[in-house]
């Protein structure tokens, strides 16, 4: 194994992995693409997890938020914005859940996604996984 240089690292940013997800609820033979999230999305991912874990946002809003972050075109470019939240909340629950789960999986944030990542890379992504923090009361010093 050799050290990767700057040019190789930056070249890797050109196209995120995408996955096609069937969405018949949104039209005959319909589908969308979901993609890997970027490092710049970590704050939003953390907020979704924290808000859901602390009961500050309902699960439907969290699922819709995942869809807004991860539904994309075939090149990985997002097609939804935060202004689409109400429309996503009005969508059928089954399709929103399916898309949100696929987004979490492609990003290695589920057990299935973690297993797939280990198979393809031989390494675990646990060190970089974003999980909601549980509040336990007083902080220890």
């Amino acid at each position: 194994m050799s050290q990767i240089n700057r040019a190789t690292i930056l070249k890797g940013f050109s196209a995120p992995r995408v996955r096609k997800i069937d969405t018949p609820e949104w039209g005959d033979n319909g589908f969308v693409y979901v993609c890997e999230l970027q490092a710049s999305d970590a704050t939003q991912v953390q907020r979704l997890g924290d808000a859901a874990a602390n009961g500050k946002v309902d699960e439907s809003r969290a699922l819709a938020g995942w869809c807004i972050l991860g539904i994309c075109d075939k090149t990985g470019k997002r097609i939804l914005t935060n202004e689409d939240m109400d429309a996503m909340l009005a969508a059928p629950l089954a399709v929103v859940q399916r898309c949100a789960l696929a987004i979490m999986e492609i990003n290695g944030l589920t057990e299935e996604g973690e297993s797939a990542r280990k198979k393809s890379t031989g390494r675990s992504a646990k060190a970089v996984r974003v999980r909601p923090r549980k509040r336990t009361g007083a902080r220890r010093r």
Side-chain angles (χ1 to χ4, degrees), residues 75-94:
T75 67
K77 182 179 178 188
R78 285 189 189 144
I79 61 173
L80 299 172
T81 68
N82 289 334
E83 286 77 39
D84 298 314
M85 178 61 78
D86 288 339
M88 291 305 300
L89 290 170
L93 178 60

Side-chain angles (χ1 to χ4, degrees), residues 63-81:
L63 293 171
W66 279 105
C67 290
I68 289 168
L69 284 174
I71 293 178
C72 61
D73 65 15
K74 65 182 179 181
T75 67
K77 182 179 178 188
R78 285 189 189 144
I79 61 173
L80 299 172
T81 68

Side-chain angles (χ1 to χ4, degrees), residues 12-18 35-38 72 74-77 106:
F13 297 152
S14 60
R17 285 185 310 145
V18 297
C35 63
E36 289 180 306
L37 301 179
Q38 300 169 334
C72 61
K74 65 182 179 181
T75 67
K77 182 179 178 188
I106 198 170

Side-chain angles (χ1 to χ4, degrees), residues 7-138:
T8 303
I9 291 169
L10 297 178
K11 180 180 164 188
F13 297 152
S14 60
R17 285 185 310 145
V18 297
R19 181 187 303 167
K20 185 177 170 181
I21 304 298
D22 291 330
T23 56
E25 299 88 345
W26 287 333
D28 293 336
N29 298 316
F31 66 89
V32 296
Y33 291 101
V34 298
C35 63
E36 289 180 306
L37 301 179
Q38 300 169 334
S40 61
D41 297 321
T43 300
Q44 286 181 285
V45 168
Q46 188 68 45
R47 283 183 189 149
L48 282 172
D50 284 349
N54 295 325
K56 292 181 179 175
V57 67
D58 59 48
E59 186 173 346
S60 59
R61 190 165 285 279
L63 293 171
W66 279 105
C67 290
I68 289 168
L69 284 174
I71 293 178
C72 61
D73 65 15
K74 65 182 179 181
T75 67
K77 182 179 178 188
R78 285 189 189 144
I79 61 173
L80 299 172
T81 68
N82 289 334
E83 286 77 39
D84 298 314
M85 178 61 78
D86 288 339
M88 291 305 300
L89 290 170
L93 178 60
V95 71
V96 173
Q97 283 181 320
R98 186 177 324 115
C99 291
L101 181 60
I103 293 161
M104 290 180 224
E105 285 177 358
I106 198 170
N107 285 283
L109 300 174
T110 65
E111 288 184 24
E112 292 82 7
E114 178 67 17
S115 295
R117 184 180 303 276
K118 275 185 180 179
K119 273 186 181 178
S120 68
T121 66
R123 291 188 217 133
S124 172
K126 286 185 179 177
V128 296
R129 289 175 67 182
V130 179
R131 294 179 178 245
R133 290 176 284 179
K134 293 185 179 179
R135 309 250 186 232
T136 59

